[in-house]
Amino acid sequence: MSEVKKTWVLTTLNDVQERLEALIQTLEKEPEDYEFYDTATEGLTEVYAKLNFAVNTMRLGEAAFEEYDDDTLVAFPQHEIELDVNQWADDEDEEHTELN
């Protein structure tokens, strides 16, 4: 895997982790049930969008911004944005196994 792609993936996943940790800390302090539910719903929606973004940009990195609109980048991953594991190789001679 190229260092650029690895850095991109780790950066997007760290963003997810930071948002999830902040949400957990907020929810632990939320005293009212109705506020808890609203905060949890909003926060989890943001976490899912960030996870979807991580998946949807994994193959292209920053170039995904030129190919897809914002709604597509944060939407649940679609078939047209599939990851080709062979694109991650640094060496063409490296063996790859197909995912079943």
Side-chain angles (χ1 to χ4, degrees):
M1 174 185 318
S2 75
E3 194 60 36
V4 172
K5 288 180 182 177
K6 182 177 180 179
T7 300
W8 179 267
V9 172
L10 291 174
T11 299
T12 58
L13 291 177
N14 280 319
D15 190 35
V16 173
Q17 180 182 13
E18 288 172 11
R19 181 60 186 112
L20 183 57
E21 287 173 349
L23 175 60
I24 291 169
Q25 289 176 358
T26 299
L27 292 176
E28 288 175 340
K29 297 174 187 173
E30 197 66 68
E32 302 295 330
D33 285 344
Y34 70 91
E35 291 174 0
F36 181 93
Y37 177 81
D38 289 344
T39 302
T41 300
E42 182 180 315
L44 288 171
T45 300
E46 290 177 25
V47 170
Y48 272 108
K50 289 179 179 291
L51 278 171
N52 293 341
F53 177 83
V55 172
N56 290 335
T57 62
M58 190 182 305
R59 178 175 54 88
L60 297 175
E62 288 185 66
F65 293 110
E66 297 171 16
E67 192 167 330
Y68 301 105
D69 62 28
D70 291 346
D71 289 339
T72 301
L73 293 175
V74 298
F76 188 80
Q78 301 297 312
H79 295 291
E80 67 265 24
I81 308 177
E82 289 183 8
L83 175 65
D84 179 1
V85 293
N86 293 321
Q87 290 180 345
W88 287 74
D90 286 334
D91 183 357
E92 290 181 17
D93 297 328
E94 185 176 332
E95 286 187 28
H96 302 282
T97 57
E98 293 285 327
L99 298 177
N100 294 329

